[in-house]
């Protein structure tokens, strides 16, 4: 067990170092995220000029929601699906297939290493910049802050496992860029990052909360703001863990089915 853990830790370490080689793009990314937050901030400020509260949020809460939402997105975001698609197109996937490791754990470990780098060189600078520029509130309580951190880690795992499922499609249909684009827009909208689920009709919101997408942004942010407490907080964390288990099992099964019969051009 120890040797296996060290193996996947090595994948994470290599991914961290690989990302370090392309660190310049993260410096430009800080500006991009700041612009995104600025755009949404001025939109919401215009909306709140007509009413002090909208869908249960005041302007200070919404400003915090937007700023913290984009900050944690910079942490959990990854491109497993794009990398797997590129490996299939460039015929490099065969190398990963013959490695004596679990492919799913390998990709997730690489994501963990990349996310550690993103946290240090991307997420923290973005958070500091937004704290200086905008009136971002701290976590509602110390408990909320700790639960928010845990929920953000769960969001990372959920997003990585969703991307692994999407990336595995490349083994069968090869070109999945259309699928990746569709997934991107679905996740952005249904995660609650662009629009909190409080703005959705009650029946729609109840259905969405049982999908994995809201647990990427909406759940961590509601915890941060102190709007999820006690039983509701524990229940939503449990839902995140349940989706991690479901997506892990689904990805494992799909990978086995997809690799039973595989044709790779040139090899």
């Amino acid at each position: 067990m120890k040797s296996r853990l060290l193996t996947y830790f090595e994948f994470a370490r290599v991914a961290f170092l690989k990302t370090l080689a392309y660190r310049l793009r993260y410096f430009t990314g800080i500006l991009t995220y700041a612009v995104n937050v600025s755009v949404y901030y001025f939109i919401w400020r215009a909306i709140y000029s007509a009413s002090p509260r909208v869908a249960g949020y005041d302007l200070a809460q919404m400003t915090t929601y937007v700023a913290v939402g984009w900050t944690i997105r910079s942490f959990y975001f990854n491109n497993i699906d794009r990398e797997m698609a590129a490996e299939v197109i460039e015929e490099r996937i065969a190398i990963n297939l013959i490695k004596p490791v679990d492919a799913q754990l390998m990709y997730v470990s690489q994501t963990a290493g990349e996310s550690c780098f993103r946290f240090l060189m991307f997420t923290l600078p973005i958070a500091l910049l937004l704290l200086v520029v905008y009136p971002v509130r701290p976590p509602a309580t110390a408990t909320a802050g700790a639960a928010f951190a845990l929920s953000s880690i769960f969001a990372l795992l959920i997003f990585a496992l969703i991307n692994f499922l999407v990336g595995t499609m490349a083994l069968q249909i090869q070109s999945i860029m259309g699928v990746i684009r569709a997934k991107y827009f679905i996740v952005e909208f249904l995660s609650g990052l662009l629009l909190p689920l409080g703005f959705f009709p009650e029946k729609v919101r109840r259905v969405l909360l049982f999908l994995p997408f809201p647990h990427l942004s909406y759940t961590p942010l509601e915890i941060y703001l102190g709007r999820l407490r006690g039983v509701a907080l524990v229940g939503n964390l449990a839902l995140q863990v349940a989706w991690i288990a479901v997506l892990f099992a689904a990805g494992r099964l799909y990978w086995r089915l997809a690799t039973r019969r595989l044709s790779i051009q040139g090899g």
Side-chain angles (χ1 to χ4, degrees):
M1 178 64 71
K2 183 179 178 180
S3 61
R4 289 188 65 186
L5 289 175
L6 289 175
T7 298
Y8 295 111
F9 175 81
E10 187 64 18
F11 281 120
R13 187 185 70 85
V14 170
F16 182 97
L17 295 175
K18 180 181 177 181
T19 309
L20 185 63
Y22 300 98
R23 57 188 178 276
L24 181 60
R25 67 181 179 180
Y26 290 98
F27 294 130
T28 58
I30 292 171
L31 179 60
T32 302
Y33 272 66
V35 170
N36 283 331
V37 172
S38 298
V39 169
Y40 284 104
Y41 170 73
F42 288 112
I43 290 174
W44 284 115
R45 195 172 75 170
I47 293 173
Y48 277 93
S49 64
S51 175
R53 295 187 70 84
V54 179
Y57 299 87
D58 58 32
L59 180 57
Q61 287 177 317
M62 188 56 69
T63 300
T64 301
Y65 186 101
V66 170
V68 177
W70 283 96
T71 300
I72 63 171
R73 183 187 184 278
S74 70
F75 167 68
Y76 70 66
F77 186 81
N78 61 79
N79 286 305
I80 288 179
D81 45 5
R82 289 180 181 272
E83 292 171 5
M84 293 175 70
E87 288 174 357
V88 170
I89 293 173
E90 297 169 9
E91 303 163 9
R92 292 183 287 115
I93 192 68
I95 298 174
N96 288 334
L97 290 173
I98 63 175
K99 289 179 180 178
V101 295
D102 186 292
Q104 187 182 35
L105 292 178
M106 179 187 70
Y107 283 112
V108 173
S109 297
Q110 290 173 344
T111 297
E114 179 184 347
S115 294
C116 288
F117 177 88
R118 293 175 70 93
F119 178 77
L120 294 173
M121 302 298 293
F122 198 25
T123 304
L124 286 182
I126 290 172
L128 292 174
L129 176 62
L130 295 179
L131 281 171
V132 172
V133 176
Y134 298 105
V136 179
R137 291 179 175 178
T141 63
T143 300
F148 164 77
L150 180 61
S151 182
S152 297
I153 294 173
F154 290 161
L156 165 66
L157 294 174
I158 290 172
F159 194 65
L161 292 168
I162 289 174
N163 282 352
F164 179 79
L165 271 169
V166 174
T168 302
M169 293 181 184
L171 297 176
Q172 296 180 313
I173 61 178
Q174 295 188 342
S175 179
I176 61 169
M177 295 311 297
V179 178
I180 291 174
R181 292 190 189 98
K183 180 221 68 178
Y184 173 83
F185 290 114
I186 290 171
V187 169
E188 291 293 287
F189 185 64
L190 297 184
S191 67
L193 177 63
L194 303 182
L195 186 68
L197 266 62
F199 287 79
F200 287 73
E202 178 65 25
K203 292 182 179 179
V204 175
R205 183 166 66 250
R206 288 180 179 178
V207 173
L208 291 179
L209 286 173
F210 283 97
L211 298 177
F213 310 115
H215 301 295
L216 297 173
S217 295
Y218 182 73
T219 294
L221 293 172
E222 290 291 279
I223 293 173
Y224 185 96
L225 293 173
R227 292 165 60 91
L228 287 178
R229 300 180 181 181
V231 175
L233 188 155
V234 174
N236 277 272
L237 289 176
L239 271 175
Q240 285 186 296
V241 173
W243 271 114
I244 290 170
V246 169
L247 291 169
F248 182 82
R252 208 169 191 78
L253 176 61
Y254 188 26
W255 177 266
R256 289 178 180 175
L257 294 174
T259 53
R260 279 183 179 178
R261 184 174 181 178
L262 178 65
S263 296
I264 300 175
Q265 298 296 326

